[in-house]
Amino acid sequence: MKKIVGITCGRTFKDGSPHREYQNTAYCVAVAAAGALAVLLPVSDPAAANDYLDRIDGLLLPGGIDVNPHHYGRARHPQLGETDEGQDLFEIAIAREAWRRRMPILAICRGIQLLNVALGGTLIQDLPSDCPSELVHRQTAERPVSTHEVIVDCESRLFRLTGQTMSVNSFHHQAVDTPGSELRVAARSADGVIEALESDVHPRVIAVQCHPEETAIHDAKSQALFRQFVAWL
């Protein structure tokens, strides 16, 4: 029987239209290609986190909108994007409980940021303002196109999957600042931005700033991230 990966949802609030829970198809396709089944977890009461986790084998925290900085004790930056307090609260709750259970976690883009905040870390709210760089972290190229490389720590578990470098796509203006409790840096871009986190106390975690679900259709290293995640289930 195939294992089940729960993928948290974003949601839209449009005047005159039904509110909608959603997630990009690429996550489901990449999970299926790695051998598991994907189910979507709607934004819910944080108290329901345990009930959802009881029914899945692994948690995927996907990309999406910004995390509200009050969750890590910072004032709102002028360039802060859209936030959703209900989504933040549910995802923080389910991330913390999955971590407590040592459930396999794959965290992507917003996901790495959310997991970091859930474990007490902080974020850079706007890279162009606070950490100017010639490296473009919010690319205009198509989503499956890799536009820069990241340098992987040779002592990390990520290194065993990707080697010393990995070509990645990049769609973010925020990034991890101070890693949270029990997290450590596994990769950085050439300008020093944190591109991956992992943990010595929870070895079944992959957290990356890029979007490997978009590149897994053609990139062996992106595929390896999903295969390893599913192998842990």
Side-chain angles (χ1 to χ4, degrees):
M1 183 178 296
K2 291 186 177 182
K3 300 292 187 177
I4 297 179
V5 172
I7 307 175
T8 54
C9 285
R11 56 185 180 175
T12 60
F13 305 92
K14 292 185 178 180
D15 292 341
S17 298
H19 293 176
R20 296 174 181 174
E21 306 271 345
Y22 70 92
Q23 201 41 263
N24 292 350
T25 302
Y27 295 106
C28 302
V29 171
V31 166
L37 299 176
V39 298
L40 300 186
L41 308 180
V43 176
S44 303
D45 185 331
N50 276 304
D51 292 331
Y52 281 114
L53 292 175
D54 287 344
R55 291 161 170 81
I56 63 175
D57 301 294
L59 178 66
L60 196 160
L61 298 168
I65 60 178
D66 291 349
V67 179
N68 193 312
H70 80 75
H71 290 296
Y72 50 96
R74 300 280 176 86
R76 295 175 69 92
H77 191 285
Q79 298 303 316
L80 184 72
E82 179 186 359
T83 62
D84 180 340
E85 183 67 3
Q87 183 182 352
D88 286 350
L89 290 172
F90 176 65
E91 287 189 319
I92 288 171
I94 203 168
R96 285 175 176 166
E97 179 59 21
W99 186 273
R100 187 192 69 80
R101 296 184 183 204
R102 299 299 189 255
M103 176 179 281
I105 298 171
L106 175 57
I108 292 173
C109 198
R110 168 189 161 91
I112 188 177
Q113 298 165 14
L114 187 285
L115 179 64
N116 189 56
V117 170
L119 297 177
T122 62
L123 304 180
I124 299 168
Q125 291 190 53
D126 187 61
L127 287 169
S129 302
D130 298 335
C131 302
S133 171
E134 293 184 359
L135 196 156
V136 177
H137 288 280
R138 182 175 271 175
Q139 69 187 53
T140 57
E142 296 293 323
R143 294 184 70 82
V145 176
S146 298
T147 57
H148 72 84
E149 287 196 337
V150 300
I151 303 160
V152 182
D153 181 353
C154 64
E155 300 297 324
S156 68
R157 284 184 300 278
L158 183 63
F159 182 86
R160 302 170 202 165
L161 299 174
T162 66
Q164 187 174 7
T165 62
M166 182 176 179
S167 295
V168 300
N169 53 6
S170 194
F171 296 95
H172 63 108
H173 80 115
Q174 300 200 317
V176 171
D177 186 5
T178 303
S181 173
E182 303 181 329
L183 291 168
R184 64 182 179 86
V185 178
R188 293 180 184 269
S189 52
D191 58 2
V193 169
I194 294 173
E195 295 281 350
L197 296 171
E198 60 185 37
S199 174
D200 293 325
V201 300
H202 185 350
R204 297 191 297 169
V205 172
I206 297 171
V208 293
Q209 185 59 68
C210 63
H211 279 273
E213 79 282 2
E214 299 284 358
T215 51
I217 55 173
H218 59 77
D219 177 61
K221 293 182 180 182
S222 300
Q223 294 164 8
L225 301 185
F226 280 90
R227 286 199 305 268
Q228 179 61 81
F229 173 55
V230 169
W232 285 332
L233 302 179

